[in-house]
Amino acid sequence: GQNIDQPTEMTATEGAIVQINCTYQTSGFNGLFWYQQHAGEAPTFLSYNVLDGLEEKGRFSSFLSRSKGYSYLLLKELQMKDSASYLCAVLPSGGYNKLIFGAGTRLAVHP
Amino acid sequence: EAGVTQFPSHSVIEKGQTVTLRCDPISGHDNLYWYRRVMGKEIKFLLHFVKESKQDESGMPNNRFLAERTGGTYSTLKVQPAELEDSGVYFCASSQTQGHEQYFGPGTRLTVT
């Protein structure tokens, strides 16, 4: 079956660093995406990993280990506006293009 | 460049009624996807269009759901007749090529009473 796990909620302090983990078990693997979603808005693309290692993009970085079925999203210099849900999604193999989503991690950043 | 748009943003209907949701993808995106999030659950795939053709409809719950994309531009998702368990947020997404990031619309919140 397909399974993606991530913590339900996390809290962090403004200016700090937070790491949101995601583990997955899917039928094949063609890449992992992280999306940010503010309440009532569209999920917005943050990062894409298909090879092992760290991808850095400004304050956000994403890491992938395919052998461990593991990814994390690292947010640095947290700002209040980073309070949102963070969705981990996997693109399985097999010629299909449907994303398999985790339930999302709700991050609350406080002063 | 305009993003993915969806209409309506909210819809409240009674059980047994019909509702049609619309999605306008980003211009030039051949790939269009429908997803759904029911209360407290993860976003789940419904189906994928490439232009006007259904590439994958493995996520469609049952035959009360009908998706179309005539002309390969906008898409509609019709639920007829609606049931209580159809309540949720219906997202549309589009991408230029398969395997690349999908751009999501803001969703349509459907409430069936």
Side-chain angles (χ1 to χ4, degrees):
Chain A
Q2 321 267 40
N3 195 45
I4 298 180
D5 287 315
Q6 48 182 134
T8 305
E9 290 185 359
M10 298 182 73
T11 59
T13 306
E14 195 175 15
I17 298 173
V18 71
Q19 178 175 312
I20 303 174
N21 295 324
C22 171
T23 57
Y24 63 89
Q25 289 176 305
T26 56
S27 53
F29 180 83
N30 258 346
L32 186 144
F33 295 80
W34 283 96
Y35 283 84
Q36 179 191 61
Q37 186 182 20
H38 287 98
E41 297 182 9
T44 54
F45 169 79
L46 290 178
S47 69
Y48 170 63
N49 294 70
V50 66
L51 299 176
D52 290 351
L54 187 68
E55 295 277 343
E56 297 187 76
K57 192 187 294 184
R59 293 190 300 114
F60 293 2
S61 304
S62 57
F63 171 84
L64 175 69
S65 168
R66 289 171 296 171
S67 62
K68 295 182 180 176
Y70 168 68
S71 171
Y72 67 73
L73 180 69
L74 194 71
L75 293 75
K76 302 176 189 173
E77 301 168 17
L78 281 171
Q79 302 174 10
M80 298 297 289
K81 67 178 182 180
D82 297 329
S83 294
S85 285
Y86 291 86
L87 310 174
C88 174
V90 171
L91 195 63
S93 60
Y96 298 105
N97 216 33
K98 56 185 175 187
L99 288 174
I100 310 296
F101 279 89
T105 298
R106 195 160 52 248
L107 173 67
V109 180
H110 54 84
Chain B
E1 178 185 276
V4 177
T5 57
Q6 293 185 245
F7 182 83
S9 57
H10 293 82
S11 180
V12 181
I13 61 172
E14 293 183 354
K15 177 182 171 181
Q17 290 185 322
T18 297
V19 63
T20 301
L21 314 181
R22 173 172 170 143
C23 168
D24 286 79
I26 292 172
S27 178
H29 282 193
D30 288 340
N31 295 274
L32 186 149
Y33 315 83
W34 283 98
Y35 292 86
R36 176 175 74 170
R37 185 171 202 166
V38 297
M39 181 79 77
K41 300 278 191 176
E42 68 274 18
I43 296 173
K44 284 195 171 176
F45 169 84
L46 295 178
L47 89 160
H48 169 210
F49 283 100
V50 178
K51 297 186 180 178
E52 67 275 10
S53 300
K54 291 175 186 173
Q55 175 87 351
D56 178 3
E57 51 184 331
S58 61
M60 295 287 264
N62 51 61
N63 60 9
R64 296 186 294 104
F65 289 75
L66 175 64
E68 294 181 322
R69 194 184 181 195
T70 308
T73 54
Y74 72 90
S75 174
T76 58
L77 179 65
K78 182 161 73 173
V79 185
Q80 179 182 32
E83 297 289 345
L84 297 178
E85 64 264 25
D86 301 333
S87 295
V89 182
Y90 289 77
F91 291 102
C92 176
S94 71
S95 69
Q96 194 162 31
T97 55
Q98 297 189 33
H100 284 72
E101 64 260 29
Q102 298 177 18
Y103 295 87
F104 281 76
T108 294
R109 182 173 295 277
L110 174 65
T111 302
V112 183
T113 62

